Amino acid sequence: MTTDPQSPDFTDKVAIVTGAAGGIGAALAEALLEAGARVVISDLDGDRLAETAGRLDGGSSTVVAVAGDASSDEVIAQMIAAATEHFGPVDLFFANAGIGDGSGLAATDAQWDLALNVNLLAHVRAARQLVPGWVERGSGYFVSTASAAGLLTQIGSATYTVSKHGAVGFAEWLAVTYGAQGVGVSCLCPMGVDTDLLRSGMSSNEGSGGAVAKAAVTNAGAVLAPRDVADQTLAAVAERRFLITPHAEVLEFARRKLSDHDRWIAGMQRFQSTLTESV
Ligand SMILES: NC(=O)c1ccc[n+]([C@@H]2O[C@H](COP(=O)([O-])OP(=O)(O)OC[C@H]3O[C@@H](n4cnc5c(N)ncnc54)[C@H](O)[C@@H]3O)[C@@H](O)[C@H]2O)c1
């Protein structure tokens, strides 16, 4: 348990975290456990998930692993059933699983389907199963891991940009529609975080698009540690704050974008040309 008096308290809260075999998801689960929560972790990569569950649980019986696809209605139902059976009704859902690529106009329908399913529709499907119960009980909390790409754009990846904009839009809609009925919503929008997604996921396909996407993120600001991002996320949830921007400059970029869209696009075009020359 953490001894920092400023740490948020999630004692006996029941949380589900998707995409939690590593990266930001595993860090969120770790931070939740230290703050007193009991956690169901889920991931497509079952072997890595089991390892992470063993490390996080350490014999405390506060972690349960459910392997599977976060965008599957059936797997979401299994996560909720496991949480309810082992710990009690779900208080918090962290829709964190995500994928990135270096896709451009040549991205196939299959690539678009995958990105939209994992980065957006997984959130919709989880909310569809959880929010009615939260409204009935007057409490519940949904945390969307979107991205700064959902507020700005992801140079080098069309599918990531669009699916993350969708995630931000859905989180906003959820907050507006259900906030008055006790449902809290936060939306995490970081730039670079030191995880597999940034190290290799973005650049895994489609020629130089992925390398450009990775360079765009790493050249735009600091690359943060997953645990730092997780701690900032839990602090924001404890305050019931919607927008979480661990990179402060994202807010400034978003302000500039909204105040003069054409100027912002011209600036992004210049930034992109420096990147395509350098990769
Ligand atoms: N790393 C960054 O720079 C960064 C920046 C902004 C936002 N994000 C977002 O943070 C979230 C977490 O990513 P990360 O950076 O920790 O990367 P990561 O690759 O370490 O973690 C993502 C996890 O999601 C899992 N996953 C992928 N598809 C899945 C599916 N269909 N069902 C269940 N699990 C699935 C992967 O196996 C992996 O363990 C993602 O939504 C990502 O888009 C990351």
Side-chain angles (χ1 to χ4, degrees):
M1 286 286 285
T2 176
T3 51
D4 180 353
Q6 299 301 316
S7 292
D9 184 7
F10 288 88
T11 303
D12 291 337
K13 295 290 180 199
V14 178
I16 295 174
V17 185
T18 69
I24 297 169
L28 282 168
E30 183 183 76
L32 280 161
L33 288 162
E34 285 179 17
R38 291 160 297 167
V39 186
V40 168
I41 59 172
S42 186
D43 203 286
L44 202 52
D45 183 342
D47 291 343
R48 216 162 139 238
L49 183 72
E51 269 173 47
T52 304
R55 173 177 68 81
L56 292 177
D57 186 69
S60 63
S61 304
T62 51
V63 180
V64 168
V66 175
D69 182 349
S71 68
S72 148
D73 277 315
E74 203 184 330
V75 174
I76 295 165
Q78 285 167 10
M79 295 176 211
I80 296 170
T84 310
E85 182 191 329
H86 289 272
F87 306 133
V90 178
D91 297 299
L92 303 118
F93 188 92
F94 291 77
N96 172 78
I99 49 167
D101 62 14
S103 63
L105 270 185
T108 60
D109 283 359
Q111 277 176 283
W112 278 103
D113 284 348
L114 184 63
L116 291 169
N117 262 305
V118 180
N119 292 348
L120 170 61
L121 292 175
H123 301 201
V124 176
R125 291 176 187 135
R128 199 158 54 199
Q129 293 196 38
L130 284 163
V131 170
W134 287 348
V135 167
E136 212 168 284
R137 139 184 154 194
S139 73
Y141 211 104
F142 193 91
V143 183
S144 161
T145 301
S147 168
L151 299 170
L152 304 164
T153 202
Q154 177 60 62
I155 288 175
S157 182
T159 59
Y160 197 73
T161 297
V162 174
S163 57
K164 292 297 186 178
H165 271 258
V168 172
F170 180 67
E172 287 174 351
W173 177 85
L174 208 55
V176 169
T177 308
Y178 294 103
Q181 293 166 78
V183 177
V185 183
S186 292
C187 185
L188 170 60
C189 295
M191 287 201 298
V193 186
D194 188 16
T195 69
D196 287 351
L197 182 85
L198 183 61
R199 282 190 290 265
S200 54
M202 277 286 182
S203 44
S204 58
N205 60 10
E206 277 228 22
S208 66
V212 170
K214 182 178 174 182
V217 174
T218 51
N219 289 10
V223 174
L224 303 180
R227 182 56 200 258
D228 183 10
V229 172
D231 288 340
Q232 293 196 46
T233 302
L234 293 200
V237 171
E239 291 170 15
R240 300 183 80 82
R241 181 154 42 84
F242 178 80
L243 189 62
I244 311 166
T245 48
H247 300 78
E249 60 268 44
V250 169
L251 279 182
E252 182 52 32
F253 296 156
R255 276 191 201 104
R256 283 188 213 162
K257 173 179 169 176
L258 284 182
S259 67
D260 189 339
H261 231 111
D262 291 301
R263 190 166 174 214
W264 176 78
I265 287 172
M268 289 295 275
Q269 287 170 341
R270 282 195 299 277
F271 181 39
Q272 176 166 252
S273 63
T274 65
L275 298 168
T276 37
E277 280 157 20
S278 69
V279 296

